[in-house]
Amino acid sequence: MRAVSVNEFTGAQLRRLCAAIGLAHRAEEAQAVLADVLGPTGTRSLAEPPPWGSDIADDHSPVEYSVAFEEDGSHTLRLLVEAGAYKPGPRANLAAALAALDRLADRYPVALDKLDRVRDLFLPDDPQGLFALWFSIVVRGDRPPMVKIYLNPLVRGADRADELVATGLDRLGFTGSFDWISRHTPRGEAGLDQFSFFALDLEETEAARVKLYQSHYRAGARDAQLAAGATEAADTDRIAEFTSMVGGDGPFLSRPLVSSHTFLASDSARPKGYSLYVPVRDYVHDDAEALTRVRAMLTRYGVDDSALRRAVRAVTDRDLESGVGLLAHVSLRMGPPRPGVTVYLSAEAYEVAPRGASAPRARPDPRGDAQDPGSTTSGCWKEEGAPTTCR
Ligand code: TRP
């Protein structure tokens, strides 16, 4: 029997997902865009090991799905995608991603002005770190797909991350924001609050955003509350409640809590919105437990959880107790453009992590004094002053 390709596998998931959350009329277009962005990596057979240790997902699938529950009861589907060269590597993948961006620009009105202002900072000839350029494809019912890109603050090494982020924010009109954010994430100097993504919406509207993400290593809900204090939108009680409903009591010593600050067209340099991402998969035994927790949280916030159950079943038909990591992160958004909850679902194209796997696979420890007994793939990678990253 001929082995299934990445495109075939993710294309089928995507069609089912669209149907599950009221986006069936967008399925065909979404599938075409996904294959287009994946590029040569999409034609790879899933019978072969992943050609590149993509950090999009734990099993190195180059795609991750997320479903956002909007206030009006509708859903937005997002695809996080890494374009890959047929012979992947840091430079080859960046070239593949830039080629994918060109193809997207032929298809949609993609606004490149923001990227052009920071390109020389974030897209060097010899990218370091786990990626240089990722895509997010946003699929909504009422408009054509929108594209967002993720840049890597660590692309010139961890010791230059602050400089890249500060300069990037200044050039985009958010002058002074770096200091403001830093004041609310005071563990940066110890390497415990670390910039992880610098994201740009590539649409030409007032709603186009710049998002700055930070990973909070060895953190508790209090660190997220402090970070959220950089925005007026912060509802600190809700942050504490959400964190414990989804992740438990903490402290979060395995995968980090992640914050993002959203900057909108620069009427003010201060961030307007805040989101918190809880890596639920590291703090549950299996996906059945993860789903139970997330459903309880949705119910608490008055969100109908039936779409989530359908979305989970669209991605996989496996027994949820048999593995962990299908529900990867859960996020809470506060402030404009809209508040809401988003659930991130792994494609599991290559592998399902065994249940109970996440606890011993203790991940990055910035001071390098944690053991990593479970990491067998390609080991750990450490940059001066940065958290160790294990694949
Ligand atoms: N897989 C990586 C991680 O879990 C990157 C990533 C994918 C991520 N989707 C995310 C990080 C959502 C935060 C939120 O860290």
Side-chain angles (χ1 to χ4, degrees):
M1 206 181 75
R2 196 177 62 88
V4 172
S5 70
V6 172
N7 281 336
E8 286 164 335
F9 187 88
T10 57
Q13 282 178 323
L14 182 53
R15 286 178 164 279
R16 291 192 300 262
L17 256 175
C18 285
I21 59 174
L23 297 170
H25 59 297
R26 295 279 172 209
E28 199 171 320
E29 184 173 6
Q31 188 180 349
V33 181
L34 173 58
D36 199 6
V37 172
L38 279 170
T41 212
T43 64
R44 288 278 188 176
S45 160
L46 287 175
E48 307 288 329
W52 166 251
S54 178
D55 192 46
I56 294 259
D58 299 349
D59 71 338
H60 307 313
S61 296
V63 181
E64 181 188 63
Y65 307 104
S66 63
V67 177
F69 296 81
E70 309 295 354
E71 291 240 297
D72 63 1
S74 69
H75 301 99
T76 302
L77 176 62
R78 265 180 270 149
L79 315 173
L80 180 64
V81 190
E82 178 159 25
Y86 197 78
K87 288 197 177 139
R91 285 179 198 214
N93 280 11
L94 176 54
L98 289 169
L101 186 58
D102 282 344
R103 293 192 299 274
L104 280 169
D106 289 341
R107 207 185 258 267
Y108 300 113
V110 168
L112 294 177
D113 54 312
K114 285 205 218 67
L115 175 60
D116 287 341
R117 269 183 258 168
V118 299
R119 196 185 276 262
D120 62 308
L121 300 172
F122 287 99
L123 300 181
D125 293 334
D126 58 337
Q128 300 172 40
L130 297 176
F131 76 102
L133 180 58
W134 282 351
F135 293 91
S136 169
I137 303 162
V138 183
V139 184
R140 306 203 61 187
D142 57 354
R143 70 194 77 161
M146 198 274 284
V147 180
K148 172 174 165 181
I149 54 170
Y150 292 82
L151 301 167
N152 184 356
L154 305 179
V155 76
R156 292 178 185 273
D159 50 348
R160 294 193 58 189
D162 285 7
E163 170 200 336
L164 260 56
V165 168
T167 311
L169 288 173
D170 279 358
R171 286 197 196 163
L172 292 167
F174 306 109
T175 313
S177 287
F178 180 82
D179 290 339
W180 176 251
I181 296 282
S182 301
R183 250 182 279 159
H184 291 85
T185 47
R187 306 183 319 146
E189 282 182 12
L192 293 172
D193 290 328
Q194 188 182 77
F195 292 112
S196 34
F197 304 104
F198 190 94
L200 306 173
D201 284 354
L202 300 184
E203 59 179 350
E204 249 168 76
T205 68
E206 279 295 293
R209 304 161 304 170
V210 173
K211 277 178 92 174
L212 178 60
Y213 293 73
Q214 281 169 291
S215 299
H216 306 297
Y217 293 92
R218 301 182 153 202
R222 293 183 68 109
D223 300 291
Q225 290 172 314
L226 190 58
T231 65
E232 275 175 23
D235 175 342
T236 46
D237 289 344
R238 186 152 275 206
I239 288 172
E241 178 187 66
F242 177 86
T243 307
S244 76
M245 284 195 89
V246 174
D249 293 337
F252 300 96
L253 303 176
S254 194
R255 279 191 182 75
L257 297 178
V258 175
S259 289
S260 77
H261 286 99
T262 303
F263 297 87
L264 287 166
S266 43
D267 54 330
S268 128
R270 296 276 160 92
K272 291 284 165 42
Y274 173 81
S275 301
L276 173 66
Y277 306 77
V278 177
V280 61
R281 66 197 186 282
D282 269 22
Y283 302 100
V284 290
H285 179 261
D286 57 50
D287 283 305
E289 186 183 1
L291 184 60
T292 302
R293 284 198 199 170
V294 176
R295 287 180 60 190
M297 179 274 295
L298 290 175
T299 305
R300 164 94 178 103
Y301 295 156
V303 180
D304 174 19
D305 68 355
S306 57
L308 175 63
R309 284 182 286 152
R310 289 195 304 274
V312 162
R313 278 304 161 220
V315 174
T316 183
D317 59 5
R318 75 167 168 83
D319 175 6
L320 295 184
E321 282 171 18
S322 68
V324 73
L326 176 67
L327 285 89
H329 278 96
V330 188
S331 77
L332 174 67
R333 278 171 290 146
M334 288 173 293
R338 3 165 233 285
V341 169
T342 302
V343 182
Y344 294 74
L345 298 172
S346 302
E348 298 186 334
Y350 287 104
E351 209 168 83
V352 176
R355 62 187 172 186
S358 39
R361 197 174 51 197
R363 254 245 193 161
D365 184 283
R367 289 183 221 134
D369 55 2
Q371 297 300 311
D372 183 27
S375 171
T376 49
T377 359
S378 44
C380 298
W381 155 103
K382 173 120 178 77
E383 261 177 358
E384 226 13 69
T388 308
T389 307
C390 300
R391 299 189 167 203

